[in-house]
CSV table of all heavy atoms in Angstrom, one decimal:
chain,number,residue,atom,x,y,z
A,4,VAL,N,97.8,91.6,80.4
A,4,VAL,CA,98.1,90.2,80.2
A,4,VAL,C,97.1,89.7,79.2
A,4,VAL,O,95.9,90.0,79.3
A,4,VAL,CB,98.0,89.4,81.5
A,4,VAL,CG1,98.2,87.9,81.2
A,4,VAL,CG2,99.0,89.9,82.4
A,9,ASP,N,90.7,80.8,74.7
A,9,ASP,CA,89.7,80.6,75.8
A,9,ASP,C,89.7,79.2,76.2
A,9,ASP,O,89.4,78.9,77.4
A,9,ASP,CB,88.3,81.0,75.3
A,9,ASP,CG,88.1,82.5,75.1
A,9,ASP,OD1,88.9,83.2,75.8
A,9,ASP,OD2,87.2,82.9,74.4
A,32,TYR,N,107.2,90.8,86.9
A,32,TYR,CA,107.1,89.6,87.7
A,32,TYR,C,105.9,88.9,87.1
A,32,TYR,O,104.8,89.5,87.0
A,32,TYR,CB,106.9,89.9,89.2
A,32,TYR,CG,108.0,90.5,89.9
A,32,TYR,CD1,109.2,90.8,89.3
A,32,TYR,CD2,107.9,90.8,91.3
A,32,TYR,CE1,110.3,91.3,90.0
A,32,TYR,CE2,108.9,91.3,92.0
A,32,TYR,CZ,110.1,91.6,91.3
A,32,TYR,OH,111.2,92.2,92.1
A,34,PHE,N,103.3,85.3,86.9
A,34,PHE,CA,102.7,84.3,87.7
A,34,PHE,C,101.7,83.4,86.9
A,34,PHE,O,101.1,83.9,85.9
A,34,PHE,CB,101.9,84.9,88.9
A,34,PHE,CG,102.7,85.8,89.7
A,34,PHE,CD1,102.9,87.1,89.3
A,34,PHE,CD2,103.3,85.4,90.9
A,34,PHE,CE1,103.7,88.0,90.1
A,34,PHE,CE2,104.1,86.3,91.7
A,34,PHE,CZ,104.3,87.6,91.3
A,36,TYR,N,98.4,80.9,87.9
A,36,TYR,CA,97.4,80.4,88.9
A,36,TYR,C,96.5,79.4,88.2
A,36,TYR,O,96.2,79.5,87.0
A,36,TYR,CB,96.6,81.5,89.5
A,36,TYR,CG,97.3,82.3,90.5
A,36,TYR,CD1,98.1,83.4,90.1
A,36,TYR,CD2,97.1,82.1,91.9
A,36,TYR,CE1,98.8,84.1,91.1
A,36,TYR,CE2,97.7,82.9,92.8
A,36,TYR,CZ,98.5,83.9,92.4
A,36,TYR,OH,99.2,84.7,93.4
A,38,GLN,N,92.6,77.3,88.7
A,38,GLN,CA,91.4,77.2,89.4
A,38,GLN,C,90.6,76.0,89.1
A,38,GLN,O,90.2,75.8,87.9
A,38,GLN,CB,90.5,78.5,89.1
A,38,GLN,CG,89.2,78.6,89.9
A,38,GLN,CD,88.4,79.8,89.6
A,38,GLN,OE1,88.5,80.3,88.5
A,38,GLN,NE2,87.7,80.3,90.6
A,41,ASN,N,84.7,75.0,91.3
A,41,ASN,CA,84.2,75.3,92.6
A,41,ASN,C,85.2,75.6,93.6
A,41,ASN,O,85.0,75.4,94.8
A,41,ASN,CB,83.2,74.3,93.1
A,41,ASN,CG,82.1,74.0,92.1
A,41,ASN,OD1,81.4,75.0,91.7
A,41,ASN,ND2,81.8,72.8,91.8
A,42,ARG,N,86.4,76.1,93.2
A,42,ARG,CA,87.5,76.4,94.1
A,42,ARG,C,88.0,77.8,93.8
A,42,ARG,O,87.7,78.4,92.7
A,42,ARG,CB,88.6,75.4,93.9
A,42,ARG,CG,88.3,74.0,94.3
A,42,ARG,CD,87.9,73.9,95.8
A,42,ARG,NE,87.7,72.5,96.2
A,42,ARG,CZ,88.6,71.8,96.8
A,42,ARG,NH1,89.8,72.2,96.9
A,42,ARG,NH2,88.3,70.6,97.2
A,43,GLY,N,88.8,78.3,94.7
A,43,GLY,CA,89.5,79.6,94.4
A,43,GLY,C,90.7,79.3,93.6
A,43,GLY,O,91.1,78.2,93.3
A,44,LEU,N,91.5,80.4,93.3
A,44,LEU,CA,92.7,80.2,92.6
A,44,LEU,C,93.8,79.7,93.5
A,44,LEU,O,93.9,80.0,94.6
A,44,LEU,CB,93.1,81.6,92.0
A,44,LEU,CG,92.4,82.0,90.7
A,44,LEU,CD1,91.0,82.4,90.9
A,44,LEU,CD2,93.2,83.2,90.1
A,45,GLN,N,94.7,78.9,92.9
A,45,GLN,CA,95.9,78.4,93.6
A,45,GLN,C,97.1,78.8,92.8
A,45,GLN,O,97.2,78.7,91.6
A,45,GLN,CB,95.9,76.9,93.6
A,45,GLN,CG,94.8,76.2,94.5
A,45,GLN,CD,94.8,74.7,94.5
A,45,GLN,OE1,95.9,74.2,94.4
A,45,GLN,NE2,93.7,74.1,94.5
A,46,PHE,N,98.1,79.3,93.5
A,46,PHE,CA,99.4,79.7,92.9
A,46,PHE,C,100.1,78.4,92.4
A,46,PHE,O,100.2,77.4,93.1
A,46,PHE,CB,100.2,80.4,94.0
A,46,PHE,CG,101.6,80.6,93.6
A,46,PHE,CD1,102.0,81.6,92.8
A,46,PHE,CD2,102.6,79.8,94.1
A,46,PHE,CE1,103.3,81.9,92.5
A,46,PHE,CE2,104.0,80.0,93.8
A,46,PHE,CZ,104.3,81.0,93.0
A,49,LYS,N,106.0,81.1,89.6
A,49,LYS,CA,106.3,82.6,89.3
A,49,LYS,C,107.7,82.7,88.7
A,49,LYS,O,108.6,81.9,88.9
A,49,LYS,CB,106.2,83.4,90.6
A,49,LYS,CG,107.3,83.1,91.6
A,49,LYS,CD,107.2,83.9,92.9
A,49,LYS,CE,108.3,83.5,93.9
A,49,LYS,NZ,108.1,84.3,95.2
A,88,LEU,N,90.8,75.8,85.0
A,88,LEU,CA,91.0,77.1,84.4
A,88,LEU,C,92.3,77.7,84.9
A,88,LEU,O,92.6,77.7,86.1
A,88,LEU,CB,89.8,78.0,84.9
A,88,LEU,CG,89.5,79.3,84.3
A,88,LEU,CD1,89.4,79.2,82.8
A,88,LEU,CD2,88.3,80.0,84.9
A,90,PHE,N,95.1,80.9,84.9
A,90,PHE,CA,95.2,82.3,84.8
A,90,PHE,C,96.7,82.7,84.8
A,90,PHE,O,97.4,82.3,85.7
A,90,PHE,CB,94.5,83.0,86.0
A,90,PHE,CG,93.0,83.0,85.9
A,90,PHE,CD1,92.4,81.9,86.6
A,90,PHE,CD2,92.3,83.9,85.2
A,90,PHE,CE1,91.0,81.8,86.6
A,90,PHE,CE2,90.9,83.8,85.2
A,90,PHE,CZ,90.2,82.8,85.9
A,94,ARG,N,102.9,91.5,87.4
A,94,ARG,CA,103.0,92.6,88.4
A,94,ARG,C,104.4,93.3,88.1
A,94,ARG,O,105.4,92.6,87.8
A,94,ARG,CB,103.0,92.1,89.8
A,94,ARG,CG,103.3,93.0,90.9
A,94,ARG,CD,103.2,92.4,92.2
A,94,ARG,NE,103.8,93.2,93.2
A,94,ARG,CZ,105.0,93.0,93.7
A,94,ARG,NH1,105.7,91.9,93.3
A,94,ARG,NH2,105.5,93.8,94.6
A,99,GLY,N,104.4,102.0,95.4
A,99,GLY,CA,103.1,102.6,95.4
A,99,GLY,C,102.1,102.1,94.4
A,99,GLY,O,100.9,102.5,94.5
A,100,ASN,N,102.5,101.3,93.4
A,100,ASN,CA,101.6,100.8,92.4
A,100,ASN,C,102.0,99.4,92.0
A,100,ASN,O,102.7,99.3,91.0
A,100,ASN,CB,101.5,101.7,91.2
A,100,ASN,CG,100.5,101.3,90.2
A,100,ASN,OD1,99.6,100.4,90.5
A,100,ASN,ND2,100.6,101.7,89.0
A,101,GLU,N,101.7,98.4,92.8
A,101,GLU,CA,102.2,97.1,92.5
A,101,GLU,C,101.1,96.1,92.4
A,101,GLU,O,101.1,95.0,92.8
A,101,GLU,CB,103.1,96.7,93.7
A,101,GLU,CG,104.3,97.6,93.8
A,101,GLU,CD,105.1,97.4,95.0
A,101,GLU,OE1,104.7,96.7,96.0
A,101,GLU,OE2,106.3,97.8,95.1
A,102,LYS,N,100.0,96.5,91.7
A,102,LYS,CA,98.9,95.7,91.5
A,102,LYS,C,99.2,94.5,90.6
A,102,LYS,O,99.9,94.5,89.7
A,102,LYS,CB,97.8,96.5,90.8
A,102,LYS,CG,96.4,95.9,90.8
A,102,LYS,CD,95.3,96.9,90.4
A,102,LYS,CE,95.6,97.5,89.0
A,102,LYS,NZ,94.4,98.3,88.6
A,103,LEU,N,98.5,93.4,91.0
A,103,LEU,CA,98.6,92.1,90.2
A,103,LEU,C,97.5,92.1,89.2
A,103,LEU,O,96.3,92.3,89.5
A,103,LEU,CB,98.5,90.9,91.1
A,103,LEU,CG,98.8,89.5,90.6
A,103,LEU,CD1,100.2,89.4,90.2
A,103,LEU,CD2,98.4,88.5,91.7
A,104,THR,N,97.9,92.0,87.9
A,104,THR,CA,96.9,92.1,86.8
A,104,THR,C,96.7,90.7,86.2
A,104,THR,O,97.7,90.1,85.8
A,104,THR,CB,97.3,93.1,85.7
A,104,THR,OG1,97.4,94.4,86.3
A,104,THR,CG2,96.3,93.1,84.6
A,105,PHE,N,95.5,90.2,86.2
A,105,PHE,CA,95.2,88.8,85.7
A,105,PHE,C,94.7,88.9,84.2
A,105,PHE,O,94.1,89.8,83.8
A,105,PHE,CB,94.1,88.2,86.5
A,105,PHE,CG,94.6,87.7,87.9
A,105,PHE,CD1,94.6,88.6,89.0
A,105,PHE,CD2,95.1,86.4,88.1
A,105,PHE,CE1,95.0,88.2,90.2
A,105,PHE,CE2,95.5,86.0,89.4
A,105,PHE,CZ,95.5,86.9,90.4
A,106,GLY,N,95.0,87.8,83.5
A,106,GLY,CA,94.4,87.6,82.2
A,106,GLY,C,92.9,87.0,82.4
A,106,GLY,O,92.4,86.9,83.5
A,107,THR,N,92.3,86.7,81.2
A,107,THR,CA,90.9,86.3,81.2
A,107,THR,C,90.8,84.8,81.5
A,107,THR,O,89.7,84.3,81.7
A,107,THR,CB,90.3,86.6,79.9
A,107,THR,OG1,91.1,86.1,78.8
A,107,THR,CG2,90.1,88.1,79.7
A,108,GLY,N,91.9,84.1,81.5
A,108,GLY,CA,91.8,82.7,81.8
A,108,GLY,C,91.7,81.8,80.6
A,108,GLY,O,91.2,82.2,79.5
B,1,GLU,N,92.6,72.7,101.5
B,1,GLU,CA,92.4,73.8,102.5
B,1,GLU,C,93.5,74.8,102.3
B,1,GLU,O,94.7,74.5,102.4
B,1,GLU,CB,92.5,73.2,103.9
B,1,GLU,CG,92.5,74.2,105.0
B,1,GLU,CD,91.2,75.0,105.0
B,1,GLU,OE1,90.1,74.4,105.0
B,1,GLU,OE2,91.2,76.2,105.0
B,2,THR,N,93.1,76.0,101.9
B,2,THR,CA,94.1,77.0,101.5
B,2,THR,C,94.4,77.9,102.7
B,2,THR,O,95.3,78.8,102.6
B,2,THR,CB,93.5,77.9,100.4
B,2,THR,OG1,92.4,78.6,100.8
B,2,THR,CG2,93.2,77.0,99.2
B,9,ARG,N,79.1,80.3,100.9
B,9,ARG,CA,79.6,79.8,99.6
B,9,ARG,C,78.6,80.2,98.5
B,9,ARG,O,79.0,80.5,97.3
B,9,ARG,CB,79.8,78.3,99.5
B,9,ARG,CG,80.9,77.8,100.4
B,9,ARG,CD,82.3,78.2,100.0
B,9,ARG,NE,82.5,77.9,98.6
B,9,ARG,CZ,82.9,76.8,98.1
B,9,ARG,NH1,83.0,75.7,98.9
B,9,ARG,NH2,83.1,76.6,96.8
B,10,HIS,N,77.3,80.3,98.8
B,10,HIS,CA,76.3,80.7,97.8
B,10,HIS,C,75.4,81.7,98.5
B,10,HIS,O,75.0,81.5,99.6
B,10,HIS,CB,75.5,79.5,97.3
B,10,HIS,CG,76.4,78.5,96.6
B,10,HIS,ND1,76.7,78.5,95.3
B,10,HIS,CD2,77.0,77.4,97.1
B,10,HIS,CE1,77.5,77.5,95.0
B,10,HIS,NE2,77.7,76.8,96.0
B,35,TYR,N,88.3,90.3,95.2
B,35,TYR,CA,88.2,90.2,93.8
B,35,TYR,C,86.8,89.8,93.3
B,35,TYR,O,86.2,89.0,94.0
B,35,TYR,CB,89.2,89.2,93.2
B,35,TYR,CG,90.6,89.6,93.2
B,35,TYR,CD1,91.5,89.4,94.2
B,35,TYR,CD2,91.2,90.2,92.0
B,35,TYR,CE1,92.8,89.7,94.2
B,35,TYR,CE2,92.5,90.5,91.9
B,35,TYR,CZ,93.3,90.3,93.0
B,35,TYR,OH,94.7,90.7,93.0
B,37,GLN,N,85.0,87.9,90.1
B,37,GLN,CA,85.3,87.0,89.0
B,37,GLN,C,84.0,86.8,88.2
B,37,GLN,O,83.0,86.2,88.7
B,37,GLN,CB,85.8,85.7,89.4
B,37,GLN,CG,86.2,84.8,88.2
B,37,GLN,CD,86.8,83.5,88.6
B,37,GLN,OE1,86.7,83.0,89.7
B,37,GLN,NE2,87.4,82.8,87.6
B,40,LYS,N,84.6,85.0,81.5
B,40,LYS,CA,85.3,85.5,80.3
B,40,LYS,C,85.8,86.9,80.5
B,40,LYS,O,86.1,87.7,79.6
B,40,LYS,CB,84.5,85.4,79.1
B,40,LYS,CG,84.2,84.0,78.7
B,40,LYS,CD,83.6,83.8,77.3
B,40,LYS,CE,83.3,82.4,77.0
B,40,LYS,NZ,82.7,82.2,75.7
B,41,LYS,N,86.0,87.3,81.8
B,41,LYS,CA,86.6,88.6,82.1
B,41,LYS,C,87.8,88.4,83.0
B,41,LYS,O,87.8,87.4,83.7
B,41,LYS,CB,85.6,89.5,82.8
B,41,LYS,CG,84.5,90.1,82.0
B,41,LYS,CD,83.6,91.0,82.8
B,41,LYS,CE,82.5,91.6,82.0
B,41,LYS,NZ,81.7,92.6,82.8
B,42,PRO,N,88.8,89.3,83.0
B,42,PRO,CA,89.9,89.2,83.9
B,42,PRO,C,89.3,89.4,85.3
B,42,PRO,O,88.3,90.1,85.5
B,42,PRO,CB,90.8,90.4,83.5
B,42,PRO,CG,90.4,90.8,82.2
B,42,PRO,CD,88.9,90.5,82.0
B,43,LEU,N,90.0,88.8,86.3
B,43,LEU,CA,89.7,89.1,87.7
B,43,LEU,C,89.7,90.6,87.9
B,43,LEU,O,90.7,91.2,87.6
B,43,LEU,CB,90.6,88.4,88.6
B,43,LEU,CG,90.2,87.0,89.1
B,43,LEU,CD1,90.2,86.0,88.0
B,43,LEU,CD2,91.0,86.5,90.3
B,45,LEU,N,90.1,93.4,90.6
B,45,LEU,CA,90.5,93.8,92.0
B,45,LEU,C,89.6,94.9,92.5
B,45,LEU,O,89.4,95.9,91.8
B,45,LEU,CB,91.9,94.3,92.0
B,45,LEU,CG,92.5,94.7,93.4
B,45,LEU,CD1,92.5,93.5,94.4
B,45,LEU,CD2,93.9,95.3,93.2
B,56,GLU,N,93.7,100.3,98.6
B,56,GLU,CA,93.3,100.4,97.2
B,56,GLU,C,91.8,100.3,97.1
B,56,GLU,O,91.2,99.4,97.8
B,56,GLU,CB,93.9,99.4,96.3
B,56,GLU,CG,93.6,99.5,94.9
B,56,GLU,CD,94.7,99.3,93.9
B,56,GLU,OE1,95.9,99.1,94.4
B,56,GLU,OE2,94.6,99.4,92.7
B,58,ASN,N,89.3,100.3,93.8
B,58,ASN,CA,89.3,100.4,92.4
B,58,ASN,C,88.0,100.9,91.8
B,58,ASN,O,87.4,100.2,91.0
B,58,ASN,CB,89.7,99.1,91.7
B,58,ASN,CG,91.2,99.0,91.6
B,58,ASN,OD1,91.9,99.8,92.0
B,58,ASN,ND2,91.7,97.8,91.1
B,88,LEU,N,81.2,85.6,91.1
B,88,LEU,CA,81.9,84.9,92.1
B,88,LEU,C,82.8,85.9,92.8
B,88,LEU,O,83.6,86.6,92.1
B,88,LEU,CB,82.7,83.7,91.6
B,88,LEU,CG,83.5,82.9,92.6
B,88,LEU,CD1,82.5,82.1,93.5
B,88,LEU,CD2,84.4,81.9,91.9
B,90,LEU,N,85.8,86.6,95.3
B,90,LEU,CA,87.0,85.9,95.8
B,90,LEU,C,87.7,86.7,96.8
B,90,LEU,O,88.0,87.9,96.5
B,90,LEU,CB,87.9,85.4,94.7
B,90,LEU,CG,87.4,84.4,93.8
B,90,LEU,CD1,88.3,84.3,92.5
B,90,LEU,CD2,87.4,83.0,94.4
B,97,THR,N,101.6,93.4,100.6
B,97,THR,CA,101.1,93.8,99.3
B,97,THR,C,102.3,93.8,98.3
B,97,THR,O,102.1,94.1,97.1
B,97,THR,CB,100.5,95.2,99.4
B,97,THR,OG1,101.5,96.1,99.9
B,97,THR,CG2,99.2,95.2,100.2
B,98,ASN,N,103.5,93.5,98.7
B,98,ASN,CA,104.6,93.5,97.8
B,98,ASN,C,104.9,92.1,97.2
B,98,ASN,O,106.0,91.8,96.8
B,98,ASN,CB,105.9,93.9,98.6
B,98,ASN,CG,105.8,95.4,99.0
B,98,ASN,OD1,105.1,96.2,98.4
B,98,ASN,ND2,106.5,95.7,100.1
B,99,THR,N,103.9,91.3,97.2
B,99,THR,CA,104.1,89.9,96.6
B,99,THR,C,103.0,89.6,95.7
B,99,THR,O,101.9,90.1,95.8
B,99,THR,CB,104.2,88.9,97.7
B,99,THR,OG1,104.2,87.6,97.1
B,99,THR,CG2,102.9,88.9,98.6
B,100,GLY,N,103.2,88.8,94.7
B,100,GLY,CA,102.2,88.4,93.8
B,100,GLY,C,101.7,87.0,94.2
B,100,GLY,O,100.8,86.4,93.5
B,101,GLU,N,102.1,86.4,95.3
B,101,GLU,CA,101.7,85.1,95.7
B,101,GLU,C,100.5,85.3,96.7
B,101,GLU,O,100.7,85.5,97.8
B,101,GLU,CB,102.8,84.4,96.4
B,101,GLU,CG,103.9,83.9,95.5
B,101,GLU,CD,104.9,83.0,96.2
B,101,GLU,OE1,104.5,82.0,96.8
B,101,GLU,OE2,106.1,83.3,96.1
B,102,LEU,N,99.3,85.2,96.1
B,102,LEU,CA,98.1,85.3,96.9
B,102,LEU,C,97.5,83.9,97.2
B,102,LEU,O,97.6,83.0,96.4
B,102,LEU,CB,97.1,86.1,96.1
B,102,LEU,CG,97.2,87.7,96.2
B,102,LEU,CD1,98.5,88.2,95.8
B,102,LEU,CD2,96.1,88.3,95.3
B,103,PHE,N,96.9,83.9,98.3
B,103,PHE,CA,96.2,82.7,98.7
B,103,PHE,C,94.7,83.0,98.7
B,103,PHE,O,94.2,83.9,99.4
B,103,PHE,CB,96.6,82.2,100.1
B,103,PHE,CG,98.0,81.8,100.2
B,103,PHE,CD1,99.1,82.7,100.1
B,103,PHE,CD2,98.3,80.4,100.3
B,103,PHE,CE1,100.4,82.2,100.2
B,103,PHE,CE2,99.6,80.0,100.3
B,103,PHE,CZ,100.7,80.9,100.3
B,104,PHE,N,94.0,82.2,97.9
B,104,PHE,CA,92.5,82.6,97.7
B,104,PHE,C,91.6,81.6,98.4
B,104,PHE,O,91.9,80.5,98.7
B,104,PHE,CB,92.2,82.4,96.2
B,104,PHE,CG,92.7,83.5,95.3
B,104,PHE,CD1,94.0,83.6,94.8
B,104,PHE,CD2,91.8,84.6,94.9
B,104,PHE,CE1,94.4,84.6,94.0
B,104,PHE,CE2,92.2,85.6,94.1
B,104,PHE,CZ,93.5,85.6,93.7
B,105,GLY,N,90.5,82.2,98.8
B,105,GLY,CA,89.4,81.3,99.3
B,105,GLY,C,88.7,80.7,98.2
B,105,GLY,O,89.0,81.0,97.0
B,106,GLU,N,87.7,79.9,98.5
B,106,GLU,CA,86.9,79.2,97.4
B,106,GLU,C,85.8,80.1,96.8
B,106,GLU,O,85.2,79.7,95.8
B,106,GLU,CB,86.3,77.9,98.0
B,106,GLU,CG,87.4,77.0,98.4
B,106,GLU,CD,86.9,75.6,98.9
B,106,GLU,OE1,85.7,75.5,99.3
B,106,GLU,OE2,87.6,74.6,98.8
B,107,GLY,N,85.6,81.2,97.4
B,107,GLY,CA,84.7,82.2,96.7
B,107,GLY,C,83.3,82.1,97.3
B,107,GLY,O,82.8,81.1,97.8
Side-chain angles (χ1 to χ4, degrees):
Chain A
V4 173
D9 287 341
Y32 290 0
F34 304 82
Y36 282 80
Q38 186 178 29
N41 301 314
R42 296 295 184 96
L44 279 69
Q45 294 180 32
F46 169 78
K49 66 180 178 183
L88 190 56
F90 290 92
R94 172 177 165 261
N100 182 18
E101 299 172 340
K102 189 168 62 175
L103 189 64
T104 299
F105 286 88
T107 51
Chain B
E1 176 60 51
T2 65
R9 292 293 310 277
H10 300 272
Y35 281 88
Q37 184 178 16
K40 297 191 177 180
K41 289 186 179 180
L43 265 70
L45 178 63
E56 182 135 3
N58 273 1
L88 183 68
L90 292 166
T97 55
N98 295 331
T99 175
E101 289 186 53
L102 274 57
F103 292 74
F104 284 83
E106 296 186 337

